[in-house]
Amino acid sequence: MKLLFELSGEHPTLPFAELECAGQVTDRRRRVAVAECPVPTATRRLALTHTVMEYLGECAPTADALAALLDDLALETDRPFVARVKVVDGAADHPDPLSLERLIGSHINGPVSLKSPEIVFRALISEDRCFFGRVIYEGLRSTYEERSPITRPFFHPGVMMPRMARAMVNLSLVMPGEVMYDPFCGTGGMLEEGRRVGARILGSDADLFMVRGAEQNVPSATLLVADATALPVADASVDAVVTDLPYGQSVCIKAESLDRLYDGSLTELRRVLKDGRRAVVIAHRDIREIAARHFAVLQYHEQRVHKSLTRRVLVLEKKATD
């Protein structure tokens, strides 16, 4: 099914990359994407998307072009509907959104309800295009706002927020029933997001205190106390890896030994990961050179968290051994 997405504006590339877990992107503009999605319900797992719509068409961002598109569609409904228009920052010249909403309403045969609509038709104007669709899901981000890490049974400062952790899980392309592993699981935030998308979750950490905390937060997880450079996990037994590597300021490791930790842990992650599958690794600095010794580097994203922290997100793939 061809779907239309209104994306989060908090990062320029991650929302588009995350869509891969649900379908194949066929067109993109600023904060807008079109994708072929074989299972539309899979889009409900997205974290960096505001609204998911059935794609109905697109045109130039003018009233005449939108009227012509609506005439071609000849939409009818016996359910109350409303029309909404969103103009993305940076869009080309465009008519007033309220006038376009009235235009859409006048071209659809059915009852209009501004207070209690059952159907929402939505136009998104981004750059040089106007995309038009029918809303399937909206408010996807609200559930993450309600799940602050501070509300968990075990809390530790510095953890990744649920919305971003879910995006990392989605980048791994892990599917329901598959095994997702986090070898630096900490309090279990990544594992919880993996659980929520239906994955079988496995986590480990060298710190017993953190593993005990993760047991409280994610009781269904299989958890181990383990050195990430010598994992007690079988070869090629894991479908996806998602992990936030320890930072120099938060672990008792000399700076000159961090490279050895990263190299040793990536060696082990390659061993336990199945051929052709992904590891999503977050680091506090650019480790692409180290990662490339073990994996194909598919994607690299940077996200500034605050003045002293910029996350580097690497999406890696294990190539089959020759």
Side-chain angles (χ1 to χ4, degrees):
M1 184 177 184
K2 196 171 187 178
L3 299 181
L4 173 64
F5 299 85
E6 179 189 353
L7 305 177
S8 163
E10 62 198 275
H11 194 278
T13 58
L14 283 171
F16 293 98
E18 185 195 22
L19 289 176
E20 283 189 77
C21 73
Q24 181 179 2
V25 175
T26 58
D27 195 7
R28 56 189 287 174
R29 296 293 192 281
R30 186 174 181 179
R31 293 182 57 185
V32 176
V34 178
E36 290 289 348
C37 302
V39 184
T41 54
T43 62
R44 299 189 70 170
R45 67 186 279 179
L46 297 170
L48 303 180
T49 290
H50 286 296
T51 309
V52 181
M53 291 158 275
E54 177 187 2
Y55 173 92
L56 297 177
E58 63 185 87
C59 60
T62 67
D64 289 344
L66 181 56
L69 173 62
L70 291 165
D71 286 338
D72 288 342
L73 290 172
L75 296 170
E76 295 185 9
T77 178
D78 57 2
R79 298 163 60 194
F81 75 91
V82 70
R84 301 293 186 210
V85 175
K86 172 70 175 289
V87 179
V88 177
D89 293 342
D93 291 340
H94 54 81
D96 174 65
L98 289 177
S99 68
L100 293 180
E101 290 178 357
R102 289 192 292 268
L103 174 67
I104 294 169
S106 67
H107 280 72
I108 297 176
N109 185 10
V112 175
S113 174
L114 300 180
K115 292 185 177 180
S116 54
E118 295 181 16
I119 299 175
V120 178
F121 292 101
R122 191 166 176 82
L124 298 174
I125 299 176
S126 178
E127 298 181 36
D128 61 341
R129 299 299 283 170
C130 175
F131 298 88
F132 185 64
R134 179 182 62 83
V135 171
I136 301 175
Y137 304 120
E138 58 185 338
L140 295 179
R141 292 160 54 92
S142 62
T143 58
Y144 302 101
E145 307 301 335
E146 297 165 0
R147 296 194 282 110
S148 171
I150 201 169
T151 64
R152 297 170 183 165
F154 179 83
F155 172 72
H156 192 272
V159 298
M160 187 177 291
M161 295 300 287
R163 186 172 68 249
M164 190 55 61
R166 171 64 67 85
M168 299 301 102
V169 169
N170 287 337
L171 289 176
S172 78
L173 305 186
V174 68
M175 293 293 128
E178 294 183 335
V179 177
M180 190 197 91
Y181 181 36
D182 182 355
F184 295 98
C185 70
T187 63
M190 296 290 191
L191 299 177
E192 172 62 14
E193 297 309 316
R195 181 191 72 80
R196 286 175 177 266
V197 302
R200 296 157 55 203
I201 47 176
L202 169 65
S204 62
D205 202 286
D207 188 336
L208 175 60
F209 177 71
M210 299 302 277
V211 172
R212 292 289 182 247
E215 288 175 341
Q216 297 177 52
N217 290 340
V218 198
S220 62
T222 299
L223 294 166
L224 309 166
V225 177
D227 178 352
T229 64
L231 296 172
V233 178
D235 294 357
S237 60
V238 171
D239 297 290
V241 171
V242 187
T243 195
D244 192 354
L245 296 179
Y247 301 163
Q249 61 266 38
S250 61
V251 291
C252 298
I253 299 174
K254 294 180 180 179
E256 60 267 25
S257 69
L258 276 175
D259 281 0
R260 291 199 295 272
L261 172 67
Y262 295 160
D263 189 71
S265 60
L266 288 171
T267 298
E268 280 291 86
L269 294 185
R270 188 185 192 286
R271 178 183 66 79
V272 304
L273 190 63
K274 295 178 181 178
D275 288 349
R277 300 308 300 266
R278 289 184 174 186
V280 176
V281 175
I282 301 96
H284 76 295
R285 61 184 177 87
D286 188 350
I287 61 166
R288 278 178 286 184
E289 183 177 347
I290 299 173
R293 299 172 194 164
H294 309 281
F295 295 92
V297 180
L298 300 182
Q299 300 173 26
Y300 175 77
H301 309 271
E302 290 191 0
Q303 183 203 29
R304 188 174 185 274
V305 180
H306 50 70
K307 184 183 296 185
S308 61
L309 175 61
T310 296
R311 290 193 184 107
R312 276 79 174 185
V313 178
L314 288 86
V315 180
L316 311 174
E317 182 181 66
K318 178 183 176 181
K319 298 295 186 182
T321 305
D322 294 335

